[in-house]
């Protein structure tokens, strides 16, 4: 490894630590870190990602003078941690407000929440599936119990619980949104049984789940 690579590793450690302080251990941090890796030159970026294991970072070992970079990093990455500015309207102010609040609370892109609701219920507050899924984000009875939801048809309770549920799955699959969406629809047990470990394996899932993931991703990306 040459001098430039070593310097790159050191700088990346500093930047990752600073980003984590700014955004917390959230999806915003994961996205920012991924962006940092993609923008690094050279073939060592994969090894660098392993080196920057979040549990291994130690801010006490950083030079205090380096912390003046924090302001610049916050400015550069604040658009990652903020709620999306282009969340489409649901034509229901309470739904829009609930999406905003859940986005800020859980660090999930508001447009992704909007996209999932559109696919799950098309913004029908009283939607109920034949399988018993309820409300805007189609929460199952087990989800209602897990997240202590008193009324699954309440807009704010439903979106808060559904967003937390989505975040838990995305985190489970190391920040992969498509796998998180697949688990949201089919359950992690189905992914495990069918050997789905990467996006390339989604074809192994039922047609309904494949369609679900495809549509949500299209809505999210604005296609």
């Amino acid at each position: 490894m040459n001098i430039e690579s070593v310097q790159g590793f050191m700088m990346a450690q500093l930047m990752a630590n600073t980003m984590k302080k700014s955004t917390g251990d959230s999806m915003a941090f994961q996205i920012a870190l991924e962006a940092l890796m993609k923008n690094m030159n050279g073939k060592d970026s994969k090894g660098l990602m392993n080196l920057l294991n979040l549990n291994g970072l130690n801010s006490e070992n950083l030079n205090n003078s380096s912390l003046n970079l924090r302001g610049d990093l916050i400015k550069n990455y604040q658009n990652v941690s903020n709620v999306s500015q282009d969340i489409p309207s649901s034509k229901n102010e309470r739904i829009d407000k609930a999406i905003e609040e859940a986005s800020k609370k859980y660090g999930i892109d508001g447009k992704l929440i909007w996209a999932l609701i559109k696919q799950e219920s098309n913004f029908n507050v009283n939607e109920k599936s034949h399988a018993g899924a309820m409300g805007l984000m189609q929460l199952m009875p087990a989800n209602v119990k897990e997240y202590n939801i008193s009324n699954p048809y309440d807009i704010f309770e439903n979106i808060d619980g559904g967003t937390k549920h989505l975040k838990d799955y995305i985190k489970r699959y190391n920040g992969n949104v498509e796998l998180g969406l697949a688990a949201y629809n089919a359950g992690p047990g189905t992914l495990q049984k069918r050997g789905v470990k990467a996006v390339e394996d989604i074809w192994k899932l039922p047609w309904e789940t494949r369609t679900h993931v495809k549509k949500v991703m299209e809505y999210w990306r604005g296609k």
Side-chain angles (χ1 to χ4, degrees):
M1 185 181 294
N2 57 34
I3 295 297
E4 289 183 357
S5 295
V6 173
Q7 290 176 335
F9 273 60
M10 293 176 66
M11 179 59 71
Q13 280 185 301
L14 167 62
M15 294 175 73
N17 185 72
T18 306
M19 283 188 288
K20 189 174 183 182
K21 286 184 178 182
S22 302
T23 64
D25 189 10
S26 64
M27 178 175 285
F29 172 75
Q30 300 294 339
I31 294 171
L33 183 58
E34 183 180 350
L36 170 62
M37 297 302 101
K38 288 181 179 179
N39 282 285
M40 286 200 61
N41 294 321
K43 60 184 179 182
D44 294 317
S45 59
K46 185 176 180 180
L48 179 57
M49 180 64 84
N50 293 329
L51 178 65
L52 293 177
N53 186 296
L54 302 187
N55 294 323
L57 291 174
N58 186 347
S59 60
E60 292 181 359
N61 294 329
L62 296 173
N63 190 303
N64 289 335
S65 63
S66 66
L67 294 180
N68 58 16
L69 287 173
R70 184 176 180 182
D72 291 336
L73 287 171
I74 293 173
K75 181 178 179 181
N76 291 338
Y77 289 99
Q78 63 184 177
N79 62 330
V80 174
S81 57
N82 285 349
V83 179
S84 296
Q85 299 301 309
D86 59 346
I87 304 174
S89 173
S90 68
K91 298 182 181 179
N92 181 318
E93 290 185 7
R94 296 187 73 233
I95 293 176
D96 295 343
K97 180 64 175 175
I99 290 174
E100 235 182 83
E101 290 184 2
S103 177
K104 290 177 180 177
K105 183 176 180 179
Y106 296 110
I108 297 288
D109 185 353
K111 190 175 180 181
L112 176 58
I113 301 170
W114 178 93
L116 182 55
I117 295 173
K118 180 168 179 59
Q119 177 61 23
E120 289 285 357
S121 65
N122 198 25
F123 306 103
N124 180 0
V125 175
N126 298 310
E127 182 76 11
K128 185 171 184 178
S129 75
H130 65 276
M134 297 170 280
L136 291 165
M137 299 191 76
Q138 290 292 274
L139 301 178
M140 295 297 289
N143 306 139
V144 173
K145 182 177 180 180
E146 180 181 1
Y147 298 115
N148 297 314
I149 296 171
S150 60
N151 179 8
Y153 295 102
D154 176 83
I155 290 173
F156 286 88
E157 282 195 85
N158 187 285
I159 292 178
D160 183 90
T163 302
K164 187 177 189 308
H165 191 43
L166 176 62
K167 179 179 180 177
D168 288 346
Y169 279 142
I170 292 175
K171 187 175 182 180
R172 177 175 182 152
Y173 293 101
N174 301 313
N176 190 296
V177 173
E178 288 169 279
L179 291 181
L181 290 170
Y184 191 100
N185 178 264
T190 301
L191 272 67
Q192 185 176 1
K193 287 178 184 177
R194 300 201 177 206
V196 178
K197 298 179 180 179
V199 173
E200 293 74 19
D201 299 326
I202 288 180
W203 66 270
K204 300 176 183 179
L205 293 170
W207 176 85
E208 177 188 346
T209 300
R210 298 197 308 270
T211 301
H212 179 273
V213 173
K214 180 176 180 291
K215 294 298 293 182
V216 175
M217 294 299 291
E218 286 177 351
Y219 291 140
W220 185 31
R221 291 167 175 164
K223 291 184 180 180

